[in-house]
Amino acid sequence: MSIQHTQRVLVTGNGRGIGQAIQVELIKAGHVVMGTHGWGGRHCDVTNPDEVQELFDRVKATMGGLDVLINNAGILDHEPFGQLTVAGIERVFRVNVVAPLLLAQEAVGLGAKLIINVGSMYGVTG
């Protein structure tokens, strides 16, 4: 899928890997891009509603709104199945399930019409 015309885009998980590559390519294509890493000299904890609100306040102030959200942030708990902890399971759930929903709600509130949720093969293979 290609994004046509100049768009205002927010990319989560843009600190490295796929998210960073997405951000670089969007900037090369002429889009206005903001990410959850590197804003205000730090990264946004996407599981913290206050930080998400602060991020979207900054998006509104700097970009005037939002056209596209790319939910790319995600984590994997590398503990063996028998050693999973409730805290670890909850952390993975907050980052991989709750955060994208919080971000999508805020994005729609700023006018986003396109939300892309990036997944991983680990969602299928475990």
Side-chain angles (χ1 to χ4, degrees), residues 13-60:
N14 66 308
R16 61 189 173 95
I18 294 170
Q20 188 174 60
I22 291 169
Q23 179 171 307
V24 166
E25 291 303 314
L26 287 170
I27 291 170
K28 282 182 187 177
H31 301 292
V32 178
V33 183
M34 188 174 200
T36 54
H37 282 75
W39 65 282
R42 60 189 180 91
H43 85 274
C44 173
D45 177 354
V46 295
T47 67
N48 181 322
D50 293 333
E51 289 195 26
V52 168
Q53 183 61 57
E54 185 180 339
L55 171 67
F56 278 90
D57 289 345
R58 182 169 282 228
V59 166
K60 184 177 181 181

Side-chain angles (χ1 to χ4, degrees), residues 89-102:
I89 294 166
E90 288 175 344
R91 181 171 175 262
V92 169
F93 192 79
R94 282 193 320 271
V95 172
N96 296 348
V97 178
V98 176
L101 292 171
L102 290 175

